[in-house]
Amino acid sequence: MQFLIDSSHGKPYHIIVIAFDTADISGAESLNAIGPRLVHRIPGSHIFPDLCIGHRIKMHCGLLMESQRLPLTVFLIEDRHACVYLMSSALQQLRNDIKLIVCGSATSWMINNLIRNRGGLHNRLTHHLIVKPFTLHECEEYFKAYHFGYSRKQIAECYMVMGGIPYYLSMMDKSKSLAQNIDQLFFADNAELKDEFNDLYRALFKKSADHIAVVTALATKGMGMTRQELVKASGGKDNGAFSTVLEELEQCGFIRLYEPFNTANKMTSDIRQKRNTLFQLVDFYTLFYFRFIKHNKYQNSSFWSSSQNSQLYHTWAGLSFEMLCLNHIDKIKHALGISGVQTLVCSWRSSNTEKGTQIDLLIDRKDETINICEMKFYKSEFEISKEYEEKLLEKLRIFTEETKTSKSLLLTLITSFGLKQNKHSDIVQKQIRSE
């Protein structure tokens, strides 16, 4: 995420770039190593690297304010509190020719200490840019630009593992198959991302053990947990500190909050305060880690390549494809022609535990219609059998009976290669391909 604080009022300005939170940079890529490269790329700039001590921050602030020549100054800071001090000091000089750009990857810290700052930065933010992962389409464009020969199914599978994170994609080798790349990155003896889970959470959260406990609990239940269930499963305490952990995980995109269908139409001003609100783990890499990496009992450096036709793979692919669809709900709404319709996206589970009926994705629309979404990740056209048709009809019957909804139900099939037409396929009113 990046934030732009602007006090130049349209006049020629001096630019200050502050980059901080460098916990993900290895020892060889220290701040002192990065600085010279930036100077080389930005003529006329000046770099102040490794500013971690208060008096050095003050000294460089003074030099900066006196300077009239440098068009660009870059501060690289490891100490986040020093970062806030530097920004406050720069803005308190009351100069109108300064633009201050702040860049950092710790989303929750940026929000709590910059956007919600109560000191010198209060109400000084004019723009912020959220840097999100690639969408599925953007991943396809990336692979085309770098001459990877992957099919759309393989690109979708890659997304289901890495979640469209450019940093992960940049490590892939176009001369290797997707399965070979996944093995090389996650399962080989010298895999570059073997310890990514712990490195990632420690870099983003100061007390990462609490955040890891929450995602560990959520990884055991695909549809999510209520707050009380999550407190019990994670071993936490139901207090303000736990609320902060949940909020930070949500801000960083690891979890989402939603309400199940039977309560979704009774929205309150704060969804977090509702007893039925569900917290769901939605980060692709974290889900992949818990399913395959954390307990990789096989210790096989070619684990992914040898698992392509296994039941373990097919089970994961089905669940992850559902998450991919959820992650692209705006695209699905566009394909359905309902982009302008107000909707609630939720799930539903039968209150009769013996039946075990559930719907993982519902799009409840303001136009008195509900899209009941079935999601199938398949290697070819999906074919509906007589047994599956009967299962779908029974699911719709139970849903109507238990929810007592009077809205129209549209059975919507989302697949990787489309629906094969046969005498049972007419049950589907709308189909979408993952393109």
Side-chain angles (χ1 to χ4, degrees):
M1 181 177 286
Q2 298 182 7
F3 300 87
L4 174 62
I5 303 174
D6 179 6
S7 61
S8 65
H9 306 292
K11 300 178 181 179
Y13 51 82
H14 181 101
I15 299 176
I16 309 170
V17 177
I18 299 181
F20 72 98
D21 185 30
T22 56
D24 58 337
I25 299 176
S26 65
E29 287 289 304
S30 66
L31 292 176
N32 288 321
I34 292 174
R37 294 208 304 269
L38 287 174
V39 171
H40 177 73
R41 290 190 177 189
I42 311 171
S45 64
H46 191 78
I47 307 293
F48 294 110
D50 201 12
L51 296 180
C52 305
I53 305 173
H55 75 270
R56 293 177 66 189
I57 292 285
K58 294 179 183 179
M59 177 184 69
H60 288 303
C61 266
L63 292 174
L64 172 64
M65 294 304 108
E66 294 173 3
S67 171
Q68 300 295 330
R69 300 188 308 275
L70 299 178
L72 177 64
T73 303
V74 179
F75 287 83
L76 301 174
I77 304 176
E78 291 186 71
D79 189 325
R80 297 176 185 174
H81 297 290
C83 171
V84 173
Y85 177 86
L86 176 57
M87 287 185 286
S88 298
S89 298
L91 291 173
Q92 287 170 4
Q93 299 296 319
L94 300 179
R95 282 177 53 169
N96 63 2
D97 61 343
I98 294 177
K99 278 197 174 184
L100 178 59
I101 301 173
V102 187
C103 310
S105 61
T107 303
S108 60
W109 190 92
M110 296 278 274
I111 290 173
N112 293 329
N113 292 274
L114 301 187
I115 289 183
R116 300 174 183 173
N117 187 278
R118 297 178 181 177
L121 299 179
H122 177 68
N123 206 29
R124 303 299 295 270
L125 180 69
T126 57
H127 182 71
H128 65 93
L129 173 64
I130 301 174
V131 182
K132 293 184 177 181
F134 286 167
T135 64
L136 187 59
H137 175 70
E138 288 167 340
C139 283
E140 183 178 17
E141 293 297 308
Y142 174 89
F143 284 124
K144 283 182 179 179
Y146 286 91
H147 309 291
F148 283 75
Y150 294 164
S151 67
R152 282 183 166 175
K153 180 180 179 294
Q154 290 174 316
I155 294 172
E157 181 181 333
C158 179
Y159 200 98
M160 286 149 49
V161 173
M162 306 181 195
I165 304 298
Y167 173 64
Y168 299 157
L169 300 181
S170 69
M171 296 181 178
M172 297 179 67
D173 184 346
K174 66 181 180 182
S175 68
K176 296 180 179 178
S177 69
L178 175 62
Q180 288 175 321
N181 269 303
I182 293 174
D183 280 330
Q184 187 62 37
L185 290 175
F186 298 105
F187 299 105
D189 292 337
N190 59 342
E192 291 189 66
L193 296 176
K194 201 165 203 172
D195 300 318
E196 173 67 6
F197 180 82
N198 288 323
D199 292 343
L200 176 64
Y201 281 84
R202 287 170 183 166
L204 292 176
F205 309 112
K206 186 174 182 180
K207 297 181 179 179
S208 60
D210 297 334
H211 302 75
I212 291 175
V214 169
V215 297
T216 301
L218 289 176
T220 65
K221 199 168 182 181
M223 289 186 70
M225 297 180 176
T226 64
R227 182 185 175 105
Q228 292 305 315
E229 290 173 338
L230 190 50
V231 168
K232 182 178 180 180
S234 66
K237 295 182 178 180
D238 192 5
N239 53 24
F242 192 76
S243 297
T244 299
V245 169
L246 294 178
E247 185 177 2
E248 290 178 346
L249 285 170
E250 183 188 4
Q251 290 169 349
C252 291
F254 289 102
I255 67 174
R256 75 165 183 132
L257 281 65
Y258 75 99
E259 293 185 86
F261 176 79
N262 57 340
T263 63
N265 290 320
K266 303 174 183 178
M267 298 287 284
T268 63
S269 58
D270 189 354
I271 187 174
R272 294 174 182 81
Q273 300 304 316
K274 296 202 68 172
R275 293 176 59 86
N276 290 323
T277 294
L278 293 175
F279 298 83
Q280 183 184 31
L281 181 61
V282 295
D283 180 68
F284 287 94
Y285 165 73
T286 301
L287 289 165
F288 184 78
Y289 168 82
F290 280 112
R291 183 166 288 270
F292 295 111
I293 301 175
K294 184 178 181 181
H295 302 295
N296 182 16
K297 60 182 179 181
Y298 304 103
Q299 297 298 312
N300 181 359
S301 60
S302 300
F303 171 76
W304 198 250
S305 297
S306 59
S307 300
Q308 291 297 287
N309 294 314
S310 67
Q311 186 58 43
L312 183 68
Y313 167 85
H314 291 303
T315 301
W316 164 82
L319 295 172
S320 295
F321 184 68
E322 292 174 1
M323 192 61 64
L324 184 147
C325 294
L326 180 64
N327 197 254
H328 291 77
I329 196 66
D330 289 341
K331 303 293 184 183
I332 292 174
K333 287 180 61 177
H334 177 76
L336 292 172
I338 59 172
S339 296
V341 179
Q342 184 178 347
T343 60
L344 284 171
V345 178
C346 47
S347 64
W348 173 82
R349 176 178 292 172
S350 171
S351 57
N352 188 330
T353 55
E354 293 182 1
K355 295 178 181 178
T357 304
Q358 70 180 51
I359 301 172
D360 294 312
L361 180 59
L362 291 167
I363 304 177
D364 187 10
R365 298 155 45 174
K366 273 291 187 179
D367 59 358
E368 296 300 311
T369 304
I370 301 173
N371 287 92
I372 308 291
C373 298
E374 288 286 308
M375 297 156 283
K376 299 296 178 183
F377 188 71
Y378 215 62
K379 60 183 178 181
S380 58
E381 286 185 321
F382 182 74
E383 184 174 3
I384 297 179
S385 64
K386 179 182 177 181
E387 292 74 23
Y388 188 59
E389 180 186 20
E390 292 173 350
K391 181 180 177 180
L392 292 174
L393 288 171
E394 178 68 3
K395 181 182 290 190
L396 294 174
R397 184 193 67 78
I398 294 173
F399 175 78
T400 304
E401 182 181 280
E402 291 194 15
T403 63
K404 303 187 185 315
T405 182
S406 59
K407 294 185 176 183
S408 300
L409 304 183
L410 293 181
L411 185 60
T412 304
L413 185 66
I414 307 172
T415 65
S416 46
F417 286 98
L419 174 65
K420 184 176 182 179
Q421 296 298 314
N422 61 19
K423 62 182 180 180
H424 305 293
S425 60
D426 286 345
I427 190 175
V428 176
Q429 281 95 11
K430 186 71 177 179
Q431 61 169 306
I432 302 172
R433 293 178 60 174
S434 58
E435 298 179 342

